[in-house]
Amino acid sequence: MSSSQPYVASSPFTPQTTRRRKSRFTFKHLSQLSASSTSCPLRVIALIDLDAFYAQCEMVRLGVPLDKPLAVQQWQGLIAINYPAREFGLSRHVTITEAKAKCPELIMQHVATWKEGDTKWAYHDDAFANIATHKVSLDPYRLQSRRILALMKEILPPVPIQKIEKASIDEVFLDLSAQVHQIMLERYPELQGPPPYDDPTERLPAPPTTALDWDADALIDLDNHQTEEDAPDWDDIAMLIGSEIVRKVRTAVHDRLKYTCSAGIACNKMLAKLGAGHKKPNNQTVIRNRAIQQFLSTFKFTKIRNLGGKLGDEVVEKFNTDTVQELLSVPIEQLKKQIGDDTGTWLYQTIRGEDHSEVNPRTQIKSMLSAKSFRPSINNFDVAVKWLRIFTADIHSRCVEEGVCENKRRPKTINLHHRQGAQTRSRQIAIPIGRPFTEEMLFDLAKNLLAQVVAEYRAWPCAMLSLSVGGFEDGITGNKGIGAFLVRGEDAKALQAAANSTFIPSEEPATTAARPAKRRKVEEPRINNFFLRQEESTGDALSEAELQDLDDLPSAQRESQMPVKQHEQPFEAVQQPIAIPLQRPGSPIAPPKPKEPDNSFTFPSSCISEPDLPPSSPAAFQQDERAELSPSRSALVEQPSTFTCPRCNKTLLADQQEEHDDWHFAQELQAQDEAERRQQTQQLQTRAAATPVPQKPRPPASGRGGKAAGRGRGRPPGTGGMSGGGIEKGQKKLAFG
C-alpha cells in the first residue's frame, strides 16, 4: 500500500546548507554553575593577594609615596619589603646592614610592640634594641585585613551567592560561579529557556561572540594544539565575566583604602593561587581552560600548594626531577607504586590542573596565640607574670574584635605553654561560661596555670612562654532572664481576677452581699484531716460587729483572722475544723483552755489497713457503723445508696460492692489452698504409718559375764575398748612386759 503523497526528505542537504554549531557544554553544566559545584567545568575561582601587605600597611599609615623603598623590621631582621626596594636586590634574608648598603634611601619601620607593663601595643622607636622587654604585635595588620575583607563583602552580592574564604591575612579566595551564572543569563537570553526535550544533557548553543576583550589582563598563552582563531566557548565567556568582577573589586580596594592587589582567575583554587603570583604587583592573570597545560609546564611542582615540603622532596628524590613538564610523562601506575595509591592519584591529577577543593566561606578564626621567646631566659615568677599580663591584653583585644563582648563568639579553653631547656610543658583550663569575658578574668586563669607548672616542675630558667585561647563557638542567643517569666502590670491583674473567679463564694449574710467575695483559707493536708470529729457548738461564726472590725484590718491580717468555713469532703472524711477565738486589737491574749480528750475519732474505710481485710470488708464496715453521725452533720451529708451482701448479710455502700466481692473471692481461694495443703499432709502421714522402719541387727555380746564389749569414752559405736581384745583393720596388737 503506497502513500498518496510524494516522498520528501525531512532534512534535505544542499551545499548551501550549514549545520548550527553547538557548544561542548550542556544545560546540566550550566545548572551546576549556578550551584557552585566543584565538578562543574564552567567554574570560576579567583584569588586576590595584597602586594607586600605589611609594607603597604606601613606606607598607608605613614603616607609614604608608592615609589619610595620601604621595609618592615622585626628586631634585627626584615619581614616585608615593598616592590621599589626589591629593585635594589633586597629580600627578607638580608640583614639590616646589608639592606642599608644596597639601598641607602631605604625606610625601615619596626613593627608595633607590647612593652613590659603596658596594656596597649604601640610603635616604639627603640623597640629593635629592647628585645628582652618588648613583644611583637601584628594587630595593626590584622585590623587592615579586616577592613579590606569587609569592603570586598560589601561590593560582592550577598549570601548565598557570595562565597569568600579568607586564606591568610593577605589572601582571599572568591567563588564567582553563582554570580557569573546570573550575569550570563542577563547577557545571553538564549540560555534562560529550558533544555530541548527537557533533556539536561543537550548541548548549549554556541556563544554568539567570536572575539573577547580581556582589557589588558595577563592572559596565559593557549596550549600547543589551541589557537586564538578558534571560536570561544562558554568557559571562556565565564572567565571573562569573572575577570570583570575581580577588576571591580581590586579597583574599589585601591580607591577607598589605597591598597593594591594582584589576582588570579581560573577554574579551581590551585590554578588561581599560581595565577595570582604570576604577574605582580597590581595585575591579574586569567588562566583559561585551554591554557592550563601551557601554564603548568613552566612551573616547578614544588611551587604547587602541598608539594613544597616533605612530599615534594620525596617526589624529587624518587623521580629525579622537579618540573611539571617532565613529571607529566610518568604513568599513574608508577606514581602509585612509588608514593602510594591515594597520593599517587592526587599527584597525577594535580600536575594536570585538576583540583576539586571547595571555597569555604568560613572567615572566622579558631584560636588565638600570644607568645614570647626570651633571650636571655627569665628566672622568676614575677617577671613571667608581667609577660602574662601582656599576653592577656593582646588576646583580649583581639577577642573584642571578634565580637566576644557582644556574645557573638567566645573561646572555651585557655592554654599555657612553658619551655625550660628542652622540656615543654602545657596546662589547660576551661573558661567559665557564667563569668564576663574580661582581661582580668583571663589574667587570673593564666596566672593559675603558671602557678601549677611552677609547683609541679622545675620552671626556671624559662626560654619560652605562650598563652592561647581556642575552641571558639558562636554565642548563645535567645536566652531569657528570670524577669521574662514574671507577669507584671495589666497581665498580672487579669490573671489575679481570673484566679478569684474560680472560687465559689459561700453564703454570706445580707449585710456582706455588697462586699467582694473573700478567698477561703484552706488548710494544708494533715493526718488529722482523715479523722471524724464531733460537732462543736462554740466558735463557728463571728458576730456582725467582729466582721466589721475585720474590715478595718490589712488584707493579710484580715485573712489570717477569718474563721475557716467548712468545705466539702468525702463521706468518710467529713471534718469540722476547730474554730479559733478571735482577739480584738489591743486586748490581751488569753492562754488556750485545756480541752477534754475526744475519744469519738473513728477511722474511715479508706484508712483501715488491717491484715487480710480490704477497706470494704465486713469487719472494717462494722467499725464504720460504730461511728454515728450527729443529727446536725447527717443533715449536711447526703446518704449514699447501700446494698446487702448475700454471703455475709452485711450492709455496705453501693460503690464498694465490687471490692467486697473481690474480698470474698480471695477468701475462697485462700480456703481452697489451705484445704489442699491439709489433704497433702494427711496423705504423707498415712504413707509413713503404713511403711515399716527397718532395724539394724545388734552385734553379738562378748567379754566376761556376757557383758557387751566395753566402749571407751567418746569412741564411735561398734569399736571395742582395750579389754575387748578385738583388733580393727589397720591396728596392731602390742606386747607389754
Side-chain angles (χ1 to χ4, degrees):
M1 181 176 178
S2 62
S3 174
S4 60
Q5 300 295 331
Y7 172 77
V8 178
S10 60
S11 299
F13 176 79
T14 62
Q16 294 79 18
T17 303
T18 58
R19 181 174 296 178
R20 185 179 180 184
R21 188 173 62 90
K22 290 283 188 177
S23 169
R24 63 189 180 93
F25 301 103
T26 65
F27 282 89
K28 180 180 179 181
H29 295 150
L30 188 65
S31 176
Q32 290 177 341
L33 181 66
S34 65
S36 301
S37 173
T38 58
S39 60
C40 178
L42 300 174
R43 189 183 185 205
V44 181
I45 305 297
L47 175 72
I48 298 180
D49 185 6
L50 292 157
D51 301 323
F53 181 54
Y54 289 179
Q56 272 204 94
C57 290
E58 299 300 340
M59 293 175 67
V60 172
R61 183 180 68 87
L62 300 174
V64 177
L66 297 178
D67 58 346
K68 292 291 184 180
L70 181 143
V72 179
Q73 177 184 355
Q74 179 177 324
W75 312 132
Q76 300 299 322
L78 302 178
I79 62 173
I81 302 170
N82 68 356
Y83 287 93
R86 296 182 188 184
E87 296 177 358
F88 292 88
L90 300 183
S91 65
R92 289 183 294 180
H93 301 289
V94 302
T95 63
I96 295 177
T97 305
E98 294 174 347
K100 279 292 187 180
K102 292 183 178 182
C103 181
E105 299 179 358
L106 180 65
I107 301 173
M108 288 188 296
Q109 174 61 50
H110 199 280
V111 297
T113 58
W114 293 83
K115 185 179 180 181
E116 183 179 354
D118 292 349
T119 58
K120 179 65 178 177
W121 56 265
Y123 286 93
H124 300 90
D125 295 335
D126 59 345
F128 66 94
N130 296 284
I131 187 174
T133 58
H134 287 248
K135 176 192 174 299
V136 171
S137 174
L138 301 180
D139 285 356
Y141 311 133
R142 296 189 185 100
L143 293 174
Q144 295 303 313
S145 177
R146 291 190 181 94
R147 291 181 61 197
I148 297 171
L149 182 61
L151 178 58
M152 292 180 180
K153 292 182 177 180
E154 179 184 342
I155 296 172
L156 296 173
V159 178
I161 297 177
Q162 177 188 118
K163 294 188 71 174
I164 297 179
E165 176 184 347
K166 183 178 180 181
S168 65
I169 195 172
D170 60 345
E171 292 180 334
V172 176
F173 279 110
L174 307 177
D175 190 341
L176 305 174
S177 302
Q179 186 178 358
V180 168
H181 177 266
Q182 286 186 344
I183 298 176
M184 287 177 63
L185 296 183
E186 295 173 1
R187 293 184 182 179
Y188 306 97
E190 60 267 26
L191 301 178
Q192 297 180 5
Y197 316 109
D198 291 331
D199 184 4
T201 61
E202 283 287 328
R203 296 184 181 275
L204 295 170
T209 307
T210 57
L212 302 178
D213 182 11
W214 296 97
D215 196 10
D217 287 339
L219 202 63
I220 300 299
D221 294 335
L222 297 177
D223 296 341
N224 295 331
H225 60 281
Q226 301 283 345
T227 62
E228 293 293 347
E229 286 75 19
D230 296 338
D233 208 338
W234 289 113
D235 58 341
D236 299 321
I237 302 293
M239 289 294 171
L240 178 64
I241 297 174
S243 67
E244 295 173 0
I245 298 172
V246 173
R247 190 180 302 109
K248 177 183 177 181
V249 173
R250 291 174 52 238
T251 302
V253 172
H254 180 265
D255 293 345
R256 295 171 60 174
L257 300 178
K258 308 304 179 184
Y259 291 98
T260 62
C261 311
S262 297
I265 301 100
C267 62
N268 55 55
K269 295 173 69 174
M270 179 198 69
L271 294 173
K273 169 71 173 176
L274 295 176
H278 184 63
K279 289 288 181 87
K280 296 190 74 170
N282 200 21
N283 276 306
Q284 64 184 44
T285 302
V286 178
I287 307 170
R288 294 171 288 179
N289 293 346
R290 296 186 291 165
I292 292 177
Q293 289 303 319
Q294 177 66 26
F295 177 67
L296 288 177
S297 62
T298 62
F299 276 91
K300 293 182 178 181
F301 58 77
T302 53
K303 299 294 183 181
I304 299 177
R305 186 177 58 174
N306 299 328
L307 282 173
K310 294 182 179 180
L311 178 59
D313 297 339
E314 181 183 356
V315 175
V316 172
E317 180 182 356
K318 291 184 180 296
F319 298 99
N320 197 25
T321 182
D322 61 352
T323 64
V324 174
Q325 184 68 31
E326 295 180 0
L327 199 61
L328 285 172
S329 60
V330 180
I332 187 173
E333 290 78 11
Q334 188 174 354
L335 292 175
K336 291 181 178 179
K337 182 178 180 181
Q338 294 292 334
I339 58 178
D341 291 345
D342 295 339
T343 307
T345 303
W346 173 82
L347 180 60
Y348 182 85
Q349 296 174 351
T350 300
I351 60 179
R352 287 165 174 77
E354 299 180 19
D355 178 24
H356 300 291
S357 57
E358 184 180 5
V359 173
N360 188 358
R362 181 197 60 79
T363 58
Q364 298 174 335
I365 61 175
K366 296 181 179 179
S367 61
M368 293 181 182
L369 172 70
S370 186
K372 173 68 176 178
S373 296
F374 303 109
R375 294 190 297 267
S377 301
I378 59 176
N379 294 286
N380 60 73
F381 184 80
D382 294 336
V383 176
V385 168
K386 292 180 180 179
W387 283 108
L388 289 182
R389 173 67 71 178
I390 294 177
F391 295 164
T392 54
D394 182 16
I395 292 176
H396 182 262
S397 63
R398 292 155 61 186
C399 287
V400 170
E401 296 171 3
E402 286 293 315
V404 173
C405 293
E406 292 82 11
N407 200 32
K408 295 180 181 178
R409 302 188 73 225
R410 183 185 177 97
K412 297 172 59 178
T413 59
I414 181 171
N415 305 270
L416 176 77
H417 290 266
H418 174 280
R419 187 172 73 231
Q420 191 274 330
Q423 297 291 330
T424 301
R425 299 176 176 89
S426 62
R427 285 292 180 272
Q428 174 179 312
I429 192 173
I431 298 176
I433 299 178
R435 295 176 57 183
F437 190 86
T438 62
E439 182 180 335
E440 287 298 326
M441 185 266 291
L442 288 178
F443 177 67
D444 293 339
L445 295 176
K447 191 164 60 174
N448 291 337
L449 293 176
L450 179 61
Q452 294 178 19
V453 174
V454 173
E456 297 178 13
Y457 306 100
R458 179 184 176 186
W460 317 114
C462 175
M464 188 276 296
L465 198 63
S466 69
L467 192 69
S468 64
V469 293
F472 277 83
E473 59 183 5
D474 295 334
I476 301 175
T477 58
N479 281 2
K480 296 181 180 180
I482 188 63
F485 297 93
L486 304 179
V487 183
R488 301 183 179 88
E490 298 298 329
D491 295 338
K493 294 179 180 179
L495 289 177
Q496 184 67 24
N500 292 339
S501 64
T502 59
F503 288 92
I504 302 176
S506 57
E507 296 182 359
E508 296 287 343
T511 56
T512 62
R515 290 196 293 268
K518 298 181 176 60
R519 294 179 59 184
R520 295 178 299 173
K521 184 175 180 181
V522 182
E523 289 184 346
E524 297 182 356
R526 301 174 183 173
I527 188 63
N528 293 339
N529 294 353
F530 294 96
F531 301 104
L532 299 178
R533 295 185 177 179
Q534 291 182 347
E535 191 79 17
E536 295 191 12
S537 59
T538 60
D540 289 343
L542 296 178
S543 63
E544 183 177 357
E546 290 173 334
L547 290 174
Q548 293 177 357
D549 292 340
L550 285 176
D551 291 338
D552 297 333
L553 296 177
S555 59
Q557 186 177 357
R558 182 172 62 249
E559 290 183 3
S560 64
Q561 296 191 9
M562 282 292 296
V564 181
K565 292 182 172 57
Q566 181 177 352
H567 51 277
E568 296 181 359
Q569 293 286 351
F571 174 77
E572 295 86 0
V574 176
Q575 173 185 349
Q576 182 69 22
I578 302 175
I580 302 175
L582 196 67
Q583 300 292 334
R584 296 184 180 274
S587 61
I589 300 176
K593 296 180 180 181
K595 191 174 183 179
E596 296 183 1
D598 188 359
N599 298 326
S600 61
F601 292 124
T602 59
F603 286 95
S605 61
S606 60
C607 298
I608 298 176
S609 59
E610 295 182 4
D612 299 332
L613 289 178
S616 59
S617 62
F621 189 73
Q622 291 177 4
Q623 294 180 359
D624 290 341
E625 287 180 337
R626 287 194 294 267
E628 298 180 356
L629 295 176
S630 60
S632 60
R633 180 169 303 175
S634 60
L636 295 176
V637 180
E638 182 180 358
Q639 296 296 333
S641 59
T642 60
F643 86 103
T644 302
C645 178
R647 303 180 185 180
C648 58
N649 297 325
K650 298 296 182 182
T651 303
L652 303 173
L653 297 177
D655 56 356
Q656 296 177 349
Q657 180 179 358
E658 183 177 357
E659 184 178 2
H660 187 72
D661 292 340
D662 293 340
W663 179 82
H664 277 293
F665 181 70
Q667 292 292 331
E668 293 174 357
L669 290 178
Q670 182 178 358
Q672 184 178 356
D673 291 341
E674 292 179 357
E676 292 178 356
R677 285 197 298 269
R678 286 195 298 268
Q679 184 178 0
Q680 293 177 358
T681 303
Q682 293 177 358
Q683 292 177 355
L684 291 176
Q685 293 176 355
T686 304
R687 293 176 183 176
T691 304
V693 180
Q695 297 182 359
K696 296 181 180 181
R698 288 189 174 185
S702 61
R704 298 179 181 178
K707 294 183 180 180
R711 296 181 181 179
R713 176 177 293 181
R715 295 177 183 270
T719 59
M722 293 298 298
S723 61
I727 301 176
E728 293 290 334
K729 183 178 180 181
Q731 294 182 349
K732 185 177 181 181
K733 188 173 182 180
L734 300 179
F736 295 96

